[in-house]
Amino acid sequence: MQATAYTYDENTRCGSVLLDDGTPVPFDAPAFDAGGLRLLRPGQRVRIETEGEGEALRITLVTLQTL
């Protein structure tokens, strides 16, 4: 699934993305670390992996979107 980086705190490695429908979804440090990134800037397109649905939706991986 694709999304757009919305917020990111480099101290905690937590942040949020916006899904293509505009829904913000938070991610935690383990999801960020799983993608091997060192930094994330708001506006970057990212690829995410999730589990769960609705209110239980959780991001398990954040990495850069590549073509």
Side-chain angles (χ1 to χ4, degrees), residues 5-48:
Y6 185 51
T7 63
Y8 175 68
D9 181 325
E10 61 185 283
N11 294 319
T12 64
R13 298 181 327 280
C14 297
S16 64
V17 300
L18 291 177
L19 301 181
D20 289 341
D21 68 0
T23 303
V25 181
F27 63 85
D28 56 16
F32 181 79
D33 294 343
L37 299 175
R38 294 188 301 179
L39 182 64
L40 190 61
R41 286 187 223 105
Q44 285 182 300
R45 285 298 280 177
V46 294
R47 184 176 68 83
I48 59 172

